[in-house]
Amino acid sequence: MNPTAGRSRDPSRGRERATRILDAAEDLLLRHGARRVTVEDVAVGANIGKGTVYLHWETREKLFAAVFDRAVARAMSELLVAMRTRPSTCLPHQFAHDYFLAVMHRPLLRGLLLADPELLGRLARQHDPAWDERHHLVSERYFRLLAEYGVLRAELGADEVAYAFQATFEGFVRAEGELTRSESAAPPAAAQPAATTLERRADLLARTVELAFEDSRPVTTDDLRSLAADVVDLFTDLVDRRGFADLVDLVDRAELGAPAAS
């Protein structure tokens, strides 16, 4: 048996190599933006040959898309773990707080959410209609669940809150990005505000969402646990349908709160 051939088929070696490629691509995207980064640049950054990159991703665009998918999966992992361990995370104000920090701690996600053309390049114009539709349905279902459990203000419809919540959230993200860019000499995607500032902004967002959209009556402990379980199932299904778990070195299924594959 050829030992070299055996090593080349070692899954752990493939995962480690793919991780290096993704890490190098992420660093280059943040520093230069998609338009200025080539597969050759990524290969040099990962200390491998250009052809090896193509063994994992057929095109430059698919590689960059995988980088963004990994960032989304890691943020989703944080949120799902938080909801499983702290059910109150599923409430709109706490979800907004944690989601905001997850995005702001990952400049790639901020650029993706705001469709930053400098960061995304051609990817900014590419959309997956099936993913967009599924994301919309999950959002719609999330706010309807909140209404069913009596979390939302009675005079507001779930669809109205869904729209207003997204507009509020994106407004906070966009405003923070603008403030950071004006205060930093770093490229827009790489600019990062201080952690204490982010925490204050997240608290302000949470308070805004709570006052604007949530009923003043507290949710019972039992209802909160039940709601959190439903929301975890909802978002886990979204992750599974996107196929995040199939991308090497994303997030372990158990970490995402999903059952092991049978």
Side-chain angles (χ1 to χ4, degrees):
M1 183 184 210
N2 184 338
T4 302
R7 284 197 301 269
S8 68
R9 291 194 296 269
D10 184 351
S12 64
R13 288 174 63 87
R15 285 193 295 271
E16 186 276 333
R17 186 173 58 198
T19 298
R20 293 206 326 266
I21 294 170
L22 291 170
D23 289 345
E26 179 174 340
D27 177 65
L28 289 165
L29 283 170
L30 288 173
R31 288 195 283 125
H32 305 296
R35 292 193 182 96
R36 299 181 181 88
V37 178
T38 66
V39 172
E40 290 90 342
D41 296 329
V42 175
V44 170
N47 195 29
I48 59 174
K50 175 182 174 182
T52 304
V53 177
Y54 287 116
L55 290 176
H56 291 273
W57 290 280
E58 297 173 353
T59 66
R60 172 177 171 272
E61 284 68 32
K62 287 183 178 180
L63 167 60
F64 291 168
V67 173
F68 286 101
D69 277 355
R70 184 174 67 162
V72 173
R74 286 173 168 168
M76 290 296 297
S77 170
E78 285 185 8
L79 292 170
L80 286 168
V81 169
M83 282 188 279
R84 289 172 69 87
T85 58
R86 192 178 73 246
S88 61
T89 305
C90 72
L91 297 175
H93 73 279
Q94 191 62 51
F95 181 81
H97 177 281
D98 291 6
Y99 186 21
F100 177 81
L101 291 178
V103 169
M104 294 306 299
H105 286 149
R106 295 176 175 84
L108 284 176
L109 287 189
R110 190 172 70 228
L112 185 64
L113 182 66
L114 300 178
D116 181 350
E118 184 172 341
L119 174 64
L120 299 177
R122 193 184 309 174
L123 292 174
R125 301 191 299 273
Q126 297 177 357
H127 296 282
D128 180 348
W131 164 252
D132 289 344
E133 176 64 18
R134 184 63 190 169
H135 188 272
H136 173 75
L137 289 174
V138 168
S139 174
E140 183 180 81
R141 180 57 182 154
Y142 169 63
F143 285 100
R144 288 184 179 176
L145 274 173
L146 294 174
E148 290 169 11
Y149 279 90
V151 174
L152 304 182
R153 294 168 65 100
E155 69 271 21
L156 297 174
D159 292 344
E160 293 174 316
V161 176
Y163 171 82
F165 176 93
Q166 190 66 22
T168 303
F169 182 86
E170 290 187 8
F172 268 73
V173 173
R174 192 177 300 279
E176 194 63 38
E178 292 296 330
L179 286 171
T180 302
R181 272 197 295 271
S182 67
E183 297 169 358
S184 174
Q192 187 69 18
T196 53
T197 299
L198 285 180
E199 284 289 348
R200 288 197 298 271
R201 300 281 198 261
D203 289 343
L204 179 58
L205 171 59
R207 187 61 174 155
T208 300
V209 168
E210 185 175 24
L211 290 173
F213 308 129
E214 295 184 32
D215 194 289
S216 59
R217 294 170 298 179
V219 183
T220 67
T221 300
D222 287 344
D223 279 352
L224 187 58
R225 288 175 179 163
S226 179
L227 172 61
D230 287 343
V231 175
V232 166
D233 287 344
L234 186 64
F235 283 110
T236 300
D237 182 61
L238 177 68
V239 168
D240 286 345
R241 287 175 181 269
R242 179 62 170 175
F244 285 143
D246 295 332
L247 182 57
V248 291
D249 191 50
L250 273 183
V251 183
D252 184 85
R253 284 181 62 83
E255 188 180 349
L256 285 168
S262 56

